[in-house]
Structure formats: structure tokens, C-alpha cells
Amino acid sequence: MKTKVKQVNRDNFSRSEFEEASEILRSGGLVAFPTETVYGLGGDGLLSSAAEKIYAAKGRPSDNPLIIHISSMDDLTQLTDEVSEKANRLADAFWPGPLTMIFQKNDKVPYGTTGGLDTVAVRMPNHPIALELIRTSGVLIAAPSANTSGRPSPTKAEHVVEDLDGKIDMIIDGGEVGIGIESTIVDLTSEIPTILRPGYITKEMLEEVIGEVAIDQAILTKGVKDGLKPKAPGMKYKHYAPKGDLTLYKGLQSEVVDEINKDAAKKRAQNYKVGVIATEETKEMYDADYVMCIGSRNDEESIARHLYGILREFDHLEVKYIYGECFSKNNLGQAIMNRLLKAAGYHVVDVSGRERCDKDEI
Ligand code: TXA
Ligand code: MG
């Protein structure tokens, strides 16, 4: 299949630019498009055959349900008959935006889209191109992140081309995304609303609007291995993995830098290419084949925005060993550490004890 790449200016487009993409979606085909979090791979959320195509293109297990993207609260009533008061309040506060809510699904939503579950994940994205595509096509768009399963999520159209060229009908290139990590998922079908995946919208932000919110414990730990099963099926898979071997270092900044430099030197002496994910504060301190700055330690938004792109860049450079610093788990830091830990397969070196601890919490 030939994949058409269509450029659209997010700040200046006309409806007619979405006609071809809309026609593809209406006839059951696949279109990748930008959202404010990451690029999504879209198909008709009410059509099982479109979900099957999405799973095939991504190489994703079909028990891992998809998020359906909507552009209005009317759209939501097509997917679920049970919208609670809390859900309405969250929608008022955060939609359109990087929040996905889990509802009981109605009969219109095929099990093909929900991975066999009786619940459905829904999000109203805050991106003019995504919203226009939903409106113009009249399709409620099921869209996982537009990467090959197991690869870092795409934050630019080039990443989508890398993974899905030849496998989908169209890619809408609307430039780089703003946030860079996937939406927060909150389950509203449990008695206490529960975060199943951390993201830009934090627990504190949710609690301000609806009171007590729980966090699925499995998401900040090695979960499955420890007998805890994450409630979002997708969180159980090894995710966001670069091709190189990523290890994270925790401890005092100066000791972290020293230990990374020592370990990097050993690998370089063995002729391996090594890379470091550094911060503004430390980037001049490392000796490695490649040192990439993810942003200032004080600017979590920059760290989130650059994370996946840097992991992909190290793949292009064929770096064999990647070293990175740990970040605080406050606010957006929780989502950042959740993604980093997964990318690292939970390999964390605690420099104070200098042991390879493999521990879940840092
Ligand atoms: O920011 C985002 O959420 C991006 C953009 C494209 O919107 N989408 C995204 O989708 O990250 P995906 O498919 O890569 O991740 C969806 C996650 C998976 O972990 C999946 O298991 C979980 O949502 N999920 C979907 N439906 C669910 C449900 N009914 N119950 C529990 N978890 C669900
Ligand atoms: Mg994904």
C-alpha cells in the first residue's frame, strides 16, 4: 500500500483539506493524525474491521483496547449510556485535553475496539487538526499511538513514517506535538475514580475537580512481575523501548554523573557506542559518543516533549548503551518516570549503594 503524507498547517487550514482523509476513514481505512499528546493511528471506532487493521499495522495484540476520539459531548452519548456527574465535571474541566476517561460501553461500540471489554476509553483531543478530522469525517476515531507496538510513541510525522509507511492509507503531517507523552487515563467505572496511566493531567488536578482519586498501583511498579496486574491492558506490555539498552541512575547529581561516566567509559573501551540523556544542568559534564539534552531539570514540560524523540534518535545513531538520569516523581514527573522506567525495563542503578537494584520505586 502506498501511504500518502499530507501536510496541514495547524493554524491555518480549510475544511476541504480533510476531504480525502475523511473519505478514507468513512470507508474503513486508516489515517494517522496529530493530537496534542502524540500522533494517533485513526480508524472508525464503531467498525470492527477498522480496529483489526489498526492492530495489524501496529503489530499490536488485539486484547489491548483502543481509545475513541470525539469532538463534542454529543459524540460521547453515542458510545455510552452512563455519564456520571464526576465524568461531566472532568469533561468540563479538561476536555478538549490530554485526559482519557473509561466508561461502560453501549451496544454500538464493537468488542473489536475495546479488546473484548465492556468498557470504552474516550478522549476529546485538544488539537485543531484532530478535532477537524473528527468533525469533517463524522467518524468517532479509534486511535492508539501511531507507532509500531513496543517502539516509542511518535511526536512528529517523521516518526510515523518510520514505523508505518506502506501499512496505512494516509499520514496527516501537522508538525510536532506539544505535550509529547500520552494522555492520563482515568477509570470512572470503579467506585473511586482510578488513574490507570499517568500523564499531563495529574492526580492533584483531578482531585481538585472530583475529590478522591486513586492510582492503579501496578503502574508505578514492575507490576506484572510482582503479581500486580495493571487495569489498562496496554500498561502490561514492555513499551516505549529503544533498541539500545537504557539504564537509569538515581542519587546525588554529581555522583550520578560520575557513575554514568565510569560505566560509559567501560563500554566505550569495549568499542560500543554509548549515549547519555543529559539535562541542561549536566550536559557539559558527560563523556560519551552522543550526549543529548532533554531540557532543564526544572522544566518537566520540556522533558516530556523531548523524551520519545531522543530515544528514537539514539536508535538512528545505533547507540548500544544509553544512560539517563532519574527525575522527581512530582506532577508531570510521575508520567515521565513511568515512561522512562518502562523504556529502561526497570533497570535503575542507585549510585549511593552502587548496586544494580532493579527496584520498582525510585
Ligand atoms: O494520548 C493518547 O492517549 C494517545 C493519543 C493518540 O490520543 N493515544 C494512546 O493510545 O496513547 P494507546 O492505544 O497507545 O494507549 C491506550 C491505553 C492502553 O494502555 C490501553 O490498554 C488503555 O488505554 N485502554 C483503552 N481502553 C481501555 C479500557 N476500556 N479499559 C482500560 N484501559 C483501556
Ligand atoms: Mg501506545
Side-chain angles (χ1 to χ4, degrees), residues 70 73 76 79-84 86-88 90-91 95 100-106 114 117-123 186-189:
I70 60 173
M73 286 307 275
L76 182 61
L79 304 172
T80 179
D81 302 328
E82 293 171 37
V83 182
S84 66
K86 284 183 183 174
N88 272 314
L90 288 179
W95 277 0
T100 295
M101 290 193 250
I102 309 281
F103 299 94
Q104 288 299 332
K105 78 171 196 72
N106 68 16
T114 67
L117 298 175
D118 288 318
T119 52
V120 59
V122 185
R123 179 164 106 82
V186 60
D187 184 357
L188 289 161
T189 66

Side-chain angles (χ1 to χ4, degrees), residues 17-33:
E17 291 178 71
F18 290 84
E19 267 163 22
E20 194 180 352
S22 295
E23 198 39 52
I24 293 170
L25 288 172
R26 283 194 292 262
S27 52
L30 303 187
V31 176
F33 61 98

Side-chain angles (χ1 to χ4, degrees), residues 186-236:
V186 60
D187 184 357
L188 289 161
T189 66
S190 52
E191 203 171 301
I192 300 173
T194 304
I195 295 177
L196 307 187
R197 179 174 72 183
Y200 187 84
I201 309 284
T202 61
K203 181 170 185 281
E204 292 70 27
M205 290 161 79
L206 296 171
E207 284 184 332
E208 247 176 61
V209 180
I210 54 165
E212 188 184 0
V213 170
I215 297 193
D216 181 8
Q217 282 311 307
I219 58 183
L220 282 176
T221 68
K222 277 185 294 178
V224 183
K225 232 178 167 176
D226 296 344
L228 282 171
K229 201 166 156 247
K231 292 193 184 65
M235 299 300 277
K236 73 180 181 241

Side-chain angles (χ1 to χ4, degrees), residues 42 75 176 183 201 358:
D75 290 346
E176 243 179 277
S183 61
I201 309 284
D358 255 1

Side-chain angles (χ1 to χ4, degrees), residues 35 37-40 58 60 64-67 69 100 102 114 117 119-121 123 143-145 181-183 185 196-197 231-235 239:
T35 79
T37 56
V38 298
Y39 271 75
K58 275 181 68 85
R60 168 166 173 156
N64 188 358
L66 307 175
I67 297 172
H69 295 67
T100 295
I102 309 281
T114 67
L117 298 175
T119 52
V120 59
R123 179 164 106 82
S145 48
I181 55 177
E182 307 84 347
S183 61
I185 302 179
L196 307 187
R197 179 174 72 183
K231 292 193 184 65
M235 299 300 277
H239 244 190

